[in-house]
Structures are given as structure tokens and as C-alpha cells.
Amino acid sequence: MSKTNTRFISTKKNIREQVYDLLRARMRLGEIGFGDRLVDHEIAAELNVSRMPVREAMMQLKNEGLLEGTSRGFILRQFTPTDIAQIFEIRLLLEPEAAMQACRNATIEKLAILNTHAQSTEQAHQQNDPLAYMEANDRFRASWLNMTPNTHLRETIQRLSNHVEAVRLATLREAKYRALSLQYTQELLQGFIEENPEKAAQAIRSNLRSAALSYYSTLDVLLENPPVGSSALA
């Protein structure tokens, strides 16, 4: 897989933030794998920037629990199946509440954006493009989550979701799992449109349970043949 574009464009973000965004994009798309070692001076040379902002970006990723430090750079953090099960348990407690808050906080403008992202996920699924699907699904998720007024709740959910994104990468490559994900995306959108917080919460519960079952149904195969970027399968 070719790496995400490394050319920085004019932006309000500083170099550290741009490096962070680039590394996160590569992690989400599986371009950084479990066997990869991230070294600050190598990344700095690739991006034609100084080492300090690269180091700071990787330290931020370490503090967020996505990287582990070694004597020679950083590697993706390893999560066991037990870790993942516990993360899903916590998400089941938090995300339905966040969805209800977001539903109550929705506006016509925000729903229009949400609907656009939902349509993009459907289009990507129909085109059998798993990476485009995951990118569109990320935008849909970020949109509804940003409608949740509780900042700390949003940040906690996002951090936990980041820790199991390799599960998404592994399972959403298969059409049958994308179809289930799309179904719950559409149910969540409908809950928002109908101004029905409980319907939105139920869509989140169903989606999380489905994601967990998808992971466990493929666990044996994934443990034997970890996909690129599969930090969750140690």
C-alpha cells in the first residue's frame, strides 16, 4: 500500500500537529504495521522537517496509548483480546448516552452534514472500497460525536475507539461486516432525523455488539495472519 501523501499544505496547524495528523492517518489506514518501528529522525528526513515536532507528535501518540516507546524509536501499542473486550464493555456504557445527547443537540445543518457522510459510506460500500468506506465512516462518526455537548465524554469515547481501530481495519475489509456497519449507520441517522434519542442509542448498542462479534468471529484467523496495522492483535 502506498503511503499517505507526505506533502504539507498551507494550514493553520503547526508542524507538530501536521505530523501527528499524518501519522494518525497512516495508522488508521494500516500503512503503519505492527512490525514497523517509527524513528524520529527518519520520519523528519522523509517529511523534510526538524526532529523536534516529529518527536513531540510521537510522544503525543504515546500519551494517548497508541504507541509504545522502545530503545530504538516507537512501535504500535499491543492490545490483547481481553483488552479489546474490556474496551468494548466501556464503550457500551458510554456511547449510547453520547448518542442520546447528540440526538437532542442536533440541528438541521448538522443533520445535513451527517446525511452527506452517511451517503458517502453507502457509496463506498457499493463500490466495494473498504478504505474509502472507513474514511467516510470516520467522518460520519466524528460528526455525530461532535454533536455531543459533554466534551470529556467525547474525548474519552474517541480515545477508546482509537485503541481498537485495528479491529475496524481487520473486519471492515470484508463486505459482510461493512454491510452490518452500514445498516447501523443508517439506523443511527434515522434516529437523529426522527429526534428519537433511544433509537439512536439502540443503533449504537447494536453496532458495538456487532463489531465485537465480528472481531471474535475472525479472531483465530487474525491471530495467525495479522493484517497490516493490526496493533490490536498481539
Side-chain angles (χ1 to χ4, degrees), residues 11-28:
T11 176
K12 294 181 179 179
K13 293 185 176 182
N14 60 36
I15 297 298
R16 178 192 62 78
E17 292 170 329
Q18 293 182 70
V19 173
Y20 173 90
D21 289 345
L22 178 64
L23 293 176
R24 284 293 294 119
R26 288 181 176 180
M27 292 166 68
R28 279 192 294 269

Side-chain angles (χ1 to χ4, degrees), residues 83-174:
D83 291 330
I84 292 174
Q86 293 174 348
I87 289 171
F88 272 118
E89 287 178 4
I90 298 171
R91 291 179 65 190
L92 275 166
L93 294 173
L94 299 181
E95 292 192 30
E97 172 61 27
M100 288 193 288
Q101 290 187 18
C103 187
R104 298 186 187 105
N105 199 41
T107 64
I108 294 297
E109 294 78 11
K110 292 175 181 178
L111 287 176
I113 295 172
L114 203 61
N115 184 57
T116 297
H117 295 323
Q119 290 177 352
S120 295
T121 62
E122 184 173 6
Q123 182 179 9
H125 176 61
Q126 292 174 348
Q127 294 173 346
N128 195 31
D129 189 336
L131 292 183
Y133 180 88
M134 285 185 276
E135 289 175 344
N137 186 258
D138 281 344
R139 291 192 293 271
F140 177 85
R141 177 179 172 77
S143 293
W144 80 255
L145 197 54
N146 285 335
M147 290 158 57
T148 305
N150 188 320
T151 303
H152 297 289
L153 180 59
R154 287 200 313 267
E155 291 176 349
T156 300
I157 288 172
Q158 189 58 58
R159 184 173 64 254
L160 291 170
S161 178
N162 289 343
H163 288 173
V164 295
E165 65 185 11
V167 174
R168 295 176 64 250
L169 183 65
T171 58
L172 291 181
R173 290 185 182 278
E174 296 192 35

